[in-house]
Amino acid sequence: MTGTAPATRVVELPTGWVRDHLHEVLAIYGAAMGYGESVVAGRYGYAVQHTERAGFRAVGAFTETAREDGAEGERLVGFGYGYLVAPGQWWHDQVRNAMDRRTAKQWLPGAFEVCELHVLPEHQSRGIGRQLLHALVEGVPAPVALLSTPDTDTKAFRLYHADGFVDLARGYHFPGDARPFAILGARLPLLSSPRNP
Ligand SMILES: CC(C)(COP(=O)(O)OP(=O)(O)OC[C@H]1O[C@@H](n2cnc3c(N)ncnc32)[C@H](O)[C@@H]1OP(=O)(O)O)[C@@H](O)C(=O)NCCC(=O)NCCS
Protein backbone atom coordinates (compact mmCIF):
# COMPACT_ATOMS: atom_id res chain seq x y z
CA MET A 1 0.00 0.00 0.00
CA THR A 2 1.41 3.45 -0.84
CA GLY A 3 1.67 6.26 1.67
CA THR A 4 -0.61 8.48 -0.43
CA ALA A 5 -3.42 5.93 -0.80
CA PRO A 6 -6.72 7.25 0.59
CA ALA A 7 -8.13 5.63 3.72
CA THR A 8 -10.27 2.66 2.84
CA ARG A 9 -12.77 0.70 4.86
CA VAL A 10 -14.09 -2.72 3.94
CA VAL A 11 -17.56 -3.58 5.23
CA GLU A 12 -20.32 -6.08 4.70
CA LEU A 13 -23.01 -4.68 2.38
CA PRO A 14 -26.65 -5.37 3.28
CA THR A 15 -28.45 -7.18 0.46
CA GLY A 16 -30.98 -4.35 0.11
CA TRP A 17 -28.14 -1.84 -0.29
CA VAL A 18 -26.63 -3.95 -3.07
CA ARG A 19 -29.97 -4.07 -4.92
CA ASP A 20 -30.44 -0.30 -4.50
CA HIS A 21 -26.90 0.44 -5.77
CA LEU A 22 -26.58 -2.28 -8.39
CA HIS A 23 -25.70 0.09 -11.24
CA GLU A 24 -22.88 1.59 -9.18
CA VAL A 25 -21.68 -1.88 -8.16
CA LEU A 26 -21.74 -3.25 -11.70
CA ALA A 27 -19.94 -0.18 -13.05
CA ILE A 28 -16.98 -1.34 -10.95
CA TYR A 29 -17.31 -4.81 -12.47
CA GLY A 30 -17.25 -3.28 -15.98
CA ALA A 31 -14.26 -1.02 -15.28
CA ALA A 32 -12.25 -3.78 -13.57
CA MET A 33 -12.91 -6.33 -16.29
CA GLY A 34 -12.68 -3.86 -19.18
CA TYR A 35 -16.21 -4.69 -20.32
CA GLY A 36 -18.36 -2.28 -22.31
CA GLU A 37 -21.77 -0.93 -21.31
CA SER A 38 -23.76 -3.61 -23.10
CA VAL A 39 -21.98 -6.43 -21.27
CA VAL A 40 -22.51 -4.66 -17.95
CA ALA A 41 -26.18 -4.03 -18.72
CA GLY A 42 -26.60 -7.70 -19.64
CA ARG A 43 -25.27 -8.67 -16.23
CA TYR A 44 -27.87 -6.69 -14.31
CA GLY A 45 -30.67 -9.27 -14.33
CA TYR A 46 -28.32 -12.08 -13.32
CA ALA A 47 -26.96 -9.99 -10.46
CA VAL A 48 -30.48 -9.32 -9.17
CA GLN A 49 -31.11 -13.07 -9.19
CA HIS A 50 -27.84 -13.67 -7.36
CA THR A 51 -28.97 -11.39 -4.51
CA GLU A 52 -31.96 -13.68 -4.02
CA ARG A 53 -29.90 -16.85 -3.57
CA ALA A 54 -29.41 -18.65 -0.27
CA GLY A 55 -26.36 -17.49 1.62
CA PHE A 56 -25.93 -14.32 -0.44
CA ARG A 57 -23.24 -12.12 1.10
CA ALA A 58 -21.57 -8.99 -0.23
CA VAL A 59 -18.73 -6.77 0.88
CA GLY A 60 -17.61 -3.36 -0.32
CA ALA A 61 -14.56 -1.12 -0.06
CA PHE A 62 -15.15 2.61 0.43
CA THR A 63 -12.46 5.27 0.14
CA GLU A 64 -12.56 8.83 1.34
CA THR A 65 -13.06 11.33 -1.44
CA ALA A 66 -13.56 15.09 -1.68
CA ARG A 67 -16.96 15.94 -3.15
CA GLU A 68 -17.62 18.86 -5.48
CA ASP A 69 -19.09 20.89 -2.61
CA GLY A 70 -15.79 20.43 -0.74
CA ALA A 71 -17.28 18.12 1.90
CA GLU A 72 -15.72 14.77 2.68
CA GLY A 73 -17.48 11.83 1.15
CA GLU A 74 -16.98 8.17 0.41
CA ARG A 75 -16.86 6.27 -2.83
CA LEU A 76 -17.35 2.56 -3.48
CA VAL A 77 -14.13 1.41 -5.18
CA GLY A 78 -14.41 -2.36 -4.90
CA PHE A 79 -16.86 -5.10 -4.05
CA GLY A 80 -17.25 -8.83 -3.83
CA TYR A 81 -20.24 -11.09 -3.51
CA GLY A 82 -21.12 -14.72 -3.41
CA TYR A 83 -23.71 -17.26 -2.29
CA LEU A 84 -24.16 -20.93 -1.55
CA VAL A 85 -24.10 -23.11 -4.65
CA ALA A 86 -26.86 -25.61 -5.35
CA PRO A 87 -27.62 -28.14 -8.08
CA GLY A 88 -29.58 -26.55 -10.92
CA GLN A 89 -27.66 -23.29 -10.79
CA TRP A 90 -25.89 -22.69 -14.10
CA TRP A 91 -22.42 -22.18 -12.57
CA HIS A 92 -22.74 -25.14 -10.20
CA ASP A 93 -23.70 -27.50 -13.01
CA GLN A 94 -20.96 -26.21 -15.32
CA VAL A 95 -18.34 -26.61 -12.64
CA ARG A 96 -19.56 -30.09 -11.79
CA ASN A 97 -18.92 -31.01 -15.43
CA ALA A 98 -15.49 -29.39 -15.34
CA MET A 99 -14.30 -31.49 -12.39
CA ASP A 100 -13.76 -35.21 -12.16
CA ARG A 101 -16.45 -36.98 -10.14
CA ARG A 102 -14.36 -37.45 -7.03
CA THR A 103 -13.30 -33.80 -6.93
CA ALA A 104 -16.87 -32.65 -7.47
CA LYS A 105 -18.11 -34.86 -4.63
CA GLN A 106 -15.45 -33.51 -2.28
CA TRP A 107 -15.77 -29.82 -3.13
CA LEU A 108 -19.23 -28.94 -4.40
CA PRO A 109 -21.76 -29.84 -1.68
CA GLY A 110 -22.56 -26.77 0.42
CA ALA A 111 -19.81 -24.65 -1.16
CA PHE A 112 -19.80 -20.85 -1.17
CA GLU A 113 -19.17 -19.41 -4.64
CA VAL A 114 -17.08 -16.25 -4.80
CA CYS A 115 -19.07 -14.98 -7.77
CA GLU A 116 -17.65 -11.46 -8.18
CA LEU A 117 -14.56 -9.70 -6.82
CA HIS A 118 -13.51 -6.43 -8.42
CA VAL A 119 -11.57 -3.30 -7.61
CA LEU A 120 -11.51 -0.14 -9.75
CA PRO A 121 -8.27 -0.15 -11.80
CA GLU A 122 -6.93 3.01 -10.17
CA HIS A 123 -7.36 1.45 -6.72
CA GLN A 124 -5.86 -1.96 -7.51
CA SER A 125 -2.62 -3.37 -6.05
CA ARG A 126 -3.10 -1.62 -2.71
CA GLY A 127 -4.36 -4.59 -0.76
CA ILE A 128 -8.08 -3.86 -1.22
CA GLY A 129 -8.85 -6.99 -3.24
CA ARG A 130 -7.28 -9.21 -0.61
CA GLN A 131 -9.20 -7.49 2.18
CA LEU A 132 -12.44 -7.91 0.24
CA LEU A 133 -11.80 -11.60 -0.43
CA HIS A 134 -11.09 -12.38 3.22
CA ALA A 135 -14.02 -10.29 4.48
CA LEU A 136 -16.35 -11.97 2.00
CA VAL A 137 -15.67 -15.54 3.11
CA GLU A 138 -15.14 -14.83 6.79
CA GLY A 139 -17.69 -16.74 8.81
CA VAL A 140 -19.73 -18.03 5.87
CA PRO A 141 -21.53 -21.27 6.75
CA ALA A 142 -19.69 -23.37 4.15
CA PRO A 143 -16.75 -25.78 4.29
CA VAL A 144 -15.13 -24.41 1.14
CA ALA A 145 -15.08 -21.43 -1.21
CA LEU A 146 -15.07 -21.97 -4.98
CA LEU A 147 -14.57 -19.63 -7.92
CA SER A 148 -13.71 -19.53 -11.59
CA THR A 149 -11.24 -17.15 -13.13
CA PRO A 150 -9.63 -16.74 -16.56
CA ASP A 151 -6.83 -19.29 -16.78
CA THR A 152 -3.97 -16.82 -17.25
CA ASP A 153 -1.44 -15.08 -15.04
CA THR A 154 -3.64 -12.27 -13.70
CA LYS A 155 -3.66 -10.36 -10.42
CA ALA A 156 -6.74 -12.35 -9.49
CA PHE A 157 -5.07 -15.70 -10.13
CA ARG A 158 -2.03 -14.66 -8.09
CA LEU A 159 -4.18 -13.48 -5.22
CA TYR A 160 -6.21 -16.69 -5.08
CA HIS A 161 -3.17 -18.97 -5.24
CA ALA A 162 -1.29 -16.90 -2.65
CA ASP A 163 -4.20 -17.11 -0.20
CA GLY A 164 -4.87 -20.83 -0.24
CA PHE A 165 -6.91 -21.60 -3.35
CA VAL A 166 -5.89 -24.74 -5.23
CA ASP A 167 -6.61 -25.84 -8.80
CA LEU A 168 -9.67 -28.06 -9.17
CA ALA A 169 -9.84 -27.84 -12.98
CA ARG A 170 -7.84 -25.92 -15.55
CA GLY A 171 -8.52 -24.89 -19.14
CA TYR A 172 -12.29 -25.22 -18.84
CA HIS A 173 -14.46 -23.53 -21.46
CA PHE A 174 -17.80 -22.16 -20.27
CA PRO A 175 -20.39 -22.05 -23.04
CA GLY A 176 -20.28 -18.77 -24.95
CA ASP A 177 -16.84 -17.71 -23.71
CA ALA A 178 -13.73 -18.37 -25.82
CA ARG A 179 -11.37 -17.94 -22.85
CA PRO A 180 -10.16 -20.95 -20.86
CA PHE A 181 -11.04 -20.77 -17.16
CA ALA A 182 -9.58 -22.29 -14.02
CA ILE A 183 -11.84 -23.56 -11.25
CA LEU A 184 -10.24 -22.95 -7.87
CA GLY A 185 -11.21 -23.95 -4.35
CA ALA A 186 -10.10 -23.24 -0.80
CA ARG A 187 -10.99 -24.83 2.53
CA LEU A 188 -12.51 -22.34 4.96
CA PRO A 189 -11.43 -20.48 6.95
CA LEU A 190 -8.98 -19.05 4.43
CA LEU A 191 -5.30 -19.18 5.21
CA SER A 192 -3.78 -15.98 6.47
CA SER A 193 -1.55 -14.32 3.92
CA PRO A 194 1.65 -12.34 4.51
CA ARG A 195 -0.32 -9.08 4.19
CA ASN A 196 -3.25 -10.37 6.21
CA PRO A 197 -1.72 -11.99 9.32
C1 LIG B 1 -8.21 -9.28 -8.75
C2 LIG B 1 -8.41 -8.02 -7.94
C3 LIG B 1 -9.79 -8.07 -7.28
C4 LIG B 1 -7.34 -7.99 -6.84
O1 LIG B 1 -7.50 -6.80 -6.11
P1 LIG B 1 -6.26 -5.83 -5.84
O2 LIG B 1 -6.72 -4.82 -4.87
O3 LIG B 1 -5.69 -5.37 -7.13
O4 LIG B 1 -5.20 -6.86 -5.18
P2 LIG B 1 -4.33 -6.66 -3.86
O5 LIG B 1 -3.64 -5.34 -3.90
O6 LIG B 1 -5.15 -6.98 -2.66
O7 LIG B 1 -3.20 -7.75 -4.07
C5 LIG B 1 -3.47 -9.10 -3.78
C6 LIG B 1 -2.57 -9.97 -4.64
O8 LIG B 1 -2.93 -9.82 -5.99
C7 LIG B 1 -1.75 -9.92 -6.79
N1 LIG B 1 -1.47 -8.63 -7.41
C8 LIG B 1 -2.01 -7.42 -7.09
N2 LIG B 1 -1.48 -6.47 -7.87
C9 LIG B 1 -0.60 -7.08 -8.69
C10 LIG B 1 0.26 -6.61 -9.73
N3 LIG B 1 0.31 -5.33 -10.09
N4 LIG B 1 1.01 -7.53 -10.38
C11 LIG B 1 0.96 -8.82 -10.04
N5 LIG B 1 0.18 -9.32 -9.05
C12 LIG B 1 -0.58 -8.45 -8.39
C13 LIG B 1 -0.64 -10.29 -5.84
O9 LIG B 1 -0.61 -11.69 -5.69
C14 LIG B 1 -1.10 -9.63 -4.58
O10 LIG B 1 -0.51 -10.19 -3.45
P3 LIG B 1 0.90 -9.60 -2.90
O11 LIG B 1 0.71 -8.12 -2.80
O12 LIG B 1 1.06 -10.26 -1.59
O13 LIG B 1 1.92 -9.98 -3.93
C15 LIG B 1 -8.29 -6.75 -8.80
O14 LIG B 1 -6.97 -6.66 -9.30
C16 LIG B 1 -9.27 -6.69 -9.95
O15 LIG B 1 -10.36 -6.17 -9.78
N6 LIG B 1 -8.87 -7.21 -11.12
C17 LIG B 1 -9.70 -7.11 -12.32
C18 LIG B 1 -10.99 -7.87 -12.17
C19 LIG B 1 -10.75 -9.34 -11.88
O16 LIG B 1 -9.93 -9.99 -12.50
N7 LIG B 1 -11.54 -9.85 -10.92
C20 LIG B 1 -11.50 -11.23 -10.55
C21 LIG B 1 -12.31 -12.01 -11.53
S1 LIG B 1 -12.24 -13.74 -11.13
Side-chain angles (χ1 to χ4, degrees):
M1 192 171 306
T2 70
T4 55
T8 303
R9 66 184 182 104
V10 170
V11 293
E12 185 169 356
L13 300 174
T15 304
W17 190 97
V18 176
R19 290 197 191 113
D20 290 346
H21 295 78
L22 207 46
H23 287 292
E24 184 184 346
V25 167
L26 290 182
I28 295 173
Y29 155 80
M33 296 299 283
Y35 291 155
E37 277 179 28
S38 63
V39 175
V40 175
R43 193 74 190 163
Y44 192 89
Y46 293 110
V48 172
Q49 288 174 21
H50 292 160
T51 67
E52 292 161 357
R53 289 192 170 164
F56 178 84
R57 178 175 162 84
V59 291
F62 294 88
T63 64
E64 287 175 5
T65 175
R67 295 199 317 239
E68 280 176 13
D69 58 8
E72 290 284 308
E74 277 198 323
R75 181 184 180 204
L76 185 71
V77 298
F79 77 98
Y81 76 65
Y83 44 76
L84 297 173
V85 300
Q89 293 172 358
W90 184 86
W91 191 86
H92 171 281
D93 294 350
Q94 287 293 326
V95 164
R96 186 178 51 200
N97 291 338
M99 296 175 187
D100 65 58
R101 282 182 63 158
R102 190 188 156 103
T103 306
K105 207 171 161 188
Q106 279 179 345
W107 285 85
L108 267 177
F112 181 83
E113 179 196 343
V114 176
C115 183
E116 306 290 355
L117 182 73
H118 306 285
V119 175
L120 284 176
E122 61 271 30
H123 291 272
Q124 291 178 9
S125 304
R126 294 177 184 164
I128 296 174
R130 172 170 281 134
Q131 283 185 64
L132 285 168
L133 175 64
H134 284 257
L136 178 59
V137 300
E138 192 181 330
V140 297
V144 301
L146 299 179
L147 57 87
S148 53
T149 191
D151 199 344
T152 53
D153 184 19
T154 59
K155 291 179 193 177
F157 213 129
R158 289 186 184 203
L159 166 61
Y160 301 140
H161 268 174
D163 286 25
F165 282 80
V166 296
D167 298 341
L168 302 179
R170 299 288 300 264
Y172 183 71
H173 285 272
F174 287 97
D177 198 324
R179 300 168 297 175
F181 278 77
I183 316 296
L184 307 181
R187 301 265 166 218
L188 295 178
L190 267 193
L191 292 176
S192 295
S193 65
R195 292 229 191 137
N196 197 59

mmCIF file of all heavy atoms in Angstrom, residues 26 29-30 34-44:
data_model
loop_
_atom_site.group_PDB
_atom_site.id
_atom_site.type_symbol
_atom_site.label_atom_id
_atom_site.label_comp_id
_atom_site.label_asym_id
_atom_site.label_seq_id
_atom_site.Cartn_x
_atom_site.Cartn_y
_atom_site.Cartn_z
ATOM 1 N N LEU A 26 -22.115 -2.603 -10.439
ATOM 2 C CA LEU A 26 -21.744 -3.248 -11.700
ATOM 3 C C LEU A 26 -20.849 -2.361 -12.567
ATOM 4 O O LEU A 26 -20.107 -2.861 -13.413
ATOM 5 C CB LEU A 26 -23.003 -3.664 -12.478
ATOM 6 C CG LEU A 26 -23.768 -4.831 -11.841
ATOM 7 C CD1 LEU A 26 -24.976 -5.214 -12.692
ATOM 8 C CD2 LEU A 26 -22.879 -6.063 -11.631
ATOM 9 N N TYR A 29 -17.544 -3.554 -11.733
ATOM 10 C CA TYR A 29 -17.312 -4.813 -12.473
ATOM 11 C C TYR A 29 -16.871 -4.517 -13.910
ATOM 12 O O TYR A 29 -15.875 -5.067 -14.406
ATOM 13 C CB TYR A 29 -18.612 -5.627 -12.426
ATOM 14 C CG TYR A 29 -18.860 -6.637 -13.517
ATOM 15 C CD1 TYR A 29 -18.256 -7.887 -13.481
ATOM 16 C CD2 TYR A 29 -19.754 -6.351 -14.560
ATOM 17 C CE1 TYR A 29 -18.517 -8.822 -14.471
ATOM 18 C CE2 TYR A 29 -20.017 -7.279 -15.548
ATOM 19 C CZ TYR A 29 -19.397 -8.512 -15.496
ATOM 20 O OH TYR A 29 -19.663 -9.436 -16.486
ATOM 21 N N GLY A 30 -17.574 -3.604 -14.587
ATOM 22 C CA GLY A 30 -17.246 -3.280 -15.976
ATOM 23 C C GLY A 30 -15.870 -2.651 -16.106
ATOM 24 O O GLY A 30 -15.081 -3.023 -16.978
ATOM 25 N N GLY A 34 -12.834 -4.444 -17.859
ATOM 26 C CA GLY A 34 -12.679 -3.860 -19.181
ATOM 27 C C GLY A 34 -13.836 -4.177 -20.107
ATOM 28 O O GLY A 34 -13.671 -4.232 -21.328
ATOM 29 N N TYR A 35 -15.033 -4.378 -19.519
ATOM 30 C CA TYR A 35 -16.213 -4.695 -20.320
ATOM 31 C C TYR A 35 -16.965 -3.421 -20.679
ATOM 32 O O TYR A 35 -17.032 -2.470 -19.882
ATOM 33 C CB TYR A 35 -17.168 -5.618 -19.548
ATOM 34 C CG TYR A 35 -16.658 -7.027 -19.319
ATOM 35 C CD1 TYR A 35 -17.131 -7.781 -18.253
ATOM 36 C CD2 TYR A 35 -15.716 -7.621 -20.165
ATOM 37 C CE1 TYR A 35 -16.686 -9.081 -18.021
ATOM 38 C CE2 TYR A 35 -15.267 -8.920 -19.941
ATOM 39 C CZ TYR A 35 -15.761 -9.639 -18.874
ATOM 40 O OH TYR A 35 -15.317 -10.910 -18.651
ATOM 41 N N GLY A 36 -17.576 -3.407 -21.849
ATOM 42 C CA GLY A 36 -18.365 -2.277 -22.307
ATOM 43 C C GLY A 36 -19.741 -2.247 -21.649
ATOM 44 O O GLY A 36 -20.137 -3.169 -20.938
ATOM 45 N N GLU A 37 -20.468 -1.159 -21.950
ATOM 46 C CA GLU A 37 -21.771 -0.926 -21.311
ATOM 47 C C GLU A 37 -22.776 -2.030 -21.571
ATOM 48 O O GLU A 37 -23.564 -2.387 -20.699
ATOM 49 C CB GLU A 37 -22.352 0.398 -21.805
ATOM 50 C CG GLU A 37 -21.812 1.595 -21.064
ATOM 51 C CD GLU A 37 -22.383 2.894 -21.595
ATOM 52 O OE1 GLU A 37 -23.512 2.878 -22.116
ATOM 53 O OE2 GLU A 37 -21.683 3.915 -21.478
ATOM 54 N N SER A 38 -22.743 -2.602 -22.785
ATOM 55 C CA SER A 38 -23.763 -3.613 -23.100
ATOM 56 C C SER A 38 -23.530 -4.890 -22.289
ATOM 57 O O SER A 38 -24.488 -5.534 -21.850
ATOM 58 C CB SER A 38 -23.775 -3.925 -24.598
ATOM 59 O OG SER A 38 -22.547 -4.481 -24.982
ATOM 60 N N VAL A 39 -22.280 -5.239 -22.079
ATOM 61 C CA VAL A 39 -21.976 -6.429 -21.266
ATOM 62 C C VAL A 39 -22.421 -6.189 -19.830
ATOM 63 O O VAL A 39 -23.046 -7.052 -19.198
ATOM 64 C CB VAL A 39 -20.462 -6.762 -21.310
ATOM 65 C CG1 VAL A 39 -20.138 -7.911 -20.360
ATOM 66 C CG2 VAL A 39 -20.035 -7.097 -22.727
ATOM 67 N N VAL A 40 -22.131 -4.994 -19.327
ATOM 68 C CA VAL A 40 -22.506 -4.664 -17.949
ATOM 69 C C VAL A 40 -24.036 -4.660 -17.808
ATOM 70 O O VAL A 40 -24.586 -5.221 -16.854
ATOM 71 C CB VAL A 40 -21.914 -3.300 -17.538
ATOM 72 C CG1 VAL A 40 -22.396 -2.896 -16.152
ATOM 73 C CG2 VAL A 40 -20.381 -3.364 -17.570
ATOM 74 N N ALA A 41 -24.707 -4.069 -18.779
ATOM 75 C CA ALA A 41 -26.177 -4.028 -18.716
ATOM 76 C C ALA A 41 -26.751 -5.440 -18.755
ATOM 77 O O ALA A 41 -27.728 -5.749 -18.060
ATOM 78 C CB ALA A 41 -26.713 -3.204 -19.883
ATOM 79 N N GLY A 42 -26.136 -6.309 -19.532
ATOM 80 C CA GLY A 42 -26.601 -7.696 -19.639
ATOM 81 C C GLY A 42 -26.409 -8.478 -18.353
ATOM 82 O O GLY A 42 -27.034 -9.516 -18.144
ATOM 83 N N ARG A 43 -25.559 -7.990 -17.488
ATOM 84 C CA ARG A 43 -25.268 -8.672 -16.228
ATOM 85 C C ARG A 43 -26.296 -8.331 -15.151
ATOM 86 O O ARG A 43 -26.415 -9.026 -14.148
ATOM 87 C CB ARG A 43 -23.870 -8.238 -15.769
ATOM 88 C CG ARG A 43 -23.260 -9.049 -14.670
ATOM 89 C CD ARG A 43 -22.795 -10.399 -15.154
ATOM 90 N NE ARG A 43 -22.437 -11.235 -14.029
ATOM 91 C CZ ARG A 43 -22.306 -12.542 -14.078
ATOM 92 N NH1 ARG A 43 -22.482 -13.178 -15.219
ATOM 93 N NH2 ARG A 43 -21.982 -13.235 -13.021
ATOM 94 N N TYR A 44 -27.012 -7.236 -15.356
ATOM 95 C CA TYR A 44 -27.873 -6.691 -14.311
ATOM 96 C C TYR A 44 -28.901 -7.713 -13.795
ATOM 97 O O TYR A 44 -29.021 -7.950 -12.594
ATOM 98 C CB TYR A 44 -28.580 -5.440 -14.832
ATOM 99 C CG TYR A 44 -29.258 -4.635 -13.755
ATOM 100 C CD1 TYR A 44 -28.572 -3.638 -13.064
ATOM 101 C CD2 TYR A 44 -30.583 -4.870 -13.422
ATOM 102 C CE1 TYR A 44 -29.194 -2.916 -12.065
ATOM 103 C CE2 TYR A 44 -31.203 -4.158 -12.426
ATOM 104 C CZ TYR A 44 -30.515 -3.178 -11.762
ATOM 105 O OH TYR A 44 -31.125 -2.468 -10.763
#
